Amino acid sequence: MSVDPLQHRAGKTERGATSAIEVRRSARRRRTVSAYREGDRTVVLIPARMSKAEEQRWVTVMLDKLAAQESRRVLGDAELAERAERLSAQFFGGSARPASVRWVTNQNTRWGSCTPAEGSIRLSHRLQGMPEYVIDYVLCHELAHLLVPGHGPDFWRLLEAYPRTERARGYLEGVVAAARLPHLPDTRGE
């Protein structure tokens, strides 16, 4: 087995801290790829024969899978507030300071809302179980509203600091589109 400690891209740990990515190649491994967190780094196990391009693709796939698994764990309101604080520090220099951040069950047409005068942020319970980067995007969106109330150019410029904005927006648009699809009757029993 050879170890290839690469910095493919910054990974995210469950608590949002940046982690190193270590790729371990194994001659015994034939087809399977797996990954796990080990302290502050992510270890990706791949077959030794895999090309660098395949390695890059699989590292991305496995990072996304780990993030999805971790996001299925439902964060409580206190953890959500801590996450918002970390995101504010990382992307807004700590200037977006919410007084409260919490999950709510009464938002069925919005992903989140913010009342800048009160400093309160509310996220729809429908986000629970979505990938970590999507929840982070919605939190960043609402944090940005603490600094810029509307959706004008200044708001979007501020939100550009979050690197996965377009991907998260695409994910949420897909969720909305899927909900509009007609539901076909179940024909498995026929």
Side-chain angles (χ1 to χ4, degrees):
M1 174 175 68
S2 66
V3 177
D4 186 10
L6 294 176
Q7 296 290 329
H8 286 272
R9 65 177 179 148
K12 292 292 214 170
T13 63
E14 185 173 329
R15 290 178 171 68
T18 302
S19 66
I21 299 162
E22 179 180 316
V23 175
R24 295 182 185 168
R25 291 176 172 267
S26 170
R28 292 177 58 193
R29 189 174 283 269
R30 295 283 179 228
R31 290 186 295 217
T32 62
V33 176
S34 61
Y36 59 91
R37 305 283 191 211
E38 188 175 83
D40 65 343
R41 64 191 163 142
T42 302
V43 177
V44 181
L45 306 170
I46 64 172
R49 63 172 172 68
M50 200 171 273
S51 71
K52 283 290 184 187
E54 289 174 306
E55 175 184 315
Q56 286 281 10
R57 186 178 72 79
W58 276 107
V59 166
T60 300
V61 166
M62 297 312 289
L63 287 174
D64 288 345
K65 280 187 176 190
L66 283 173
Q69 288 171 353
E70 291 164 353
S71 72
R72 284 189 203 106
R73 184 180 71 84
V74 176
L75 301 173
D77 288 348
E79 292 169 305
L80 199 59
E82 289 171 15
R83 186 181 208 125
E85 187 177 316
R86 280 192 305 275
L87 290 167
S88 175
Q90 186 174 2
F91 298 112
F92 306 115
S95 59
R97 293 190 177 132
S100 68
V101 182
R102 62 190 174 95
W103 295 107
V104 294
T105 57
N106 64 348
Q107 288 187 8
N108 294 313
T109 58
R110 296 178 174 193
W111 298 114
S113 62
C114 173
T115 307
E118 297 173 4
S120 62
I121 292 175
R122 294 159 305 281
L123 295 190
S124 172
H125 72 286
R126 296 177 305 137
L127 289 166
Q128 293 174 338
M130 288 190 187
E132 185 177 82
Y133 73 92
V134 174
I135 296 169
D136 286 352
Y137 163 73
V138 176
L139 274 172
C140 283
H141 184 106
E142 301 310 331
L143 286 166
H145 278 308
L146 292 175
L147 305 172
V148 179
H151 287 107
D154 290 343
F155 172 82
W156 293 109
R157 257 191 304 281
L158 186 61
L159 198 52
E160 284 174 2
Y162 182 65
R164 298 181 95 180
T165 292
E166 285 304 313
R167 184 172 185 187
R169 287 175 57 107
Y171 184 98
L172 293 171
E173 287 171 9
V175 169
V176 170
R180 291 183 184 144
L181 292 174
H183 295 284
L184 299 174
D186 186 8
T187 58
R188 284 179 283 178
E190 294 177 9

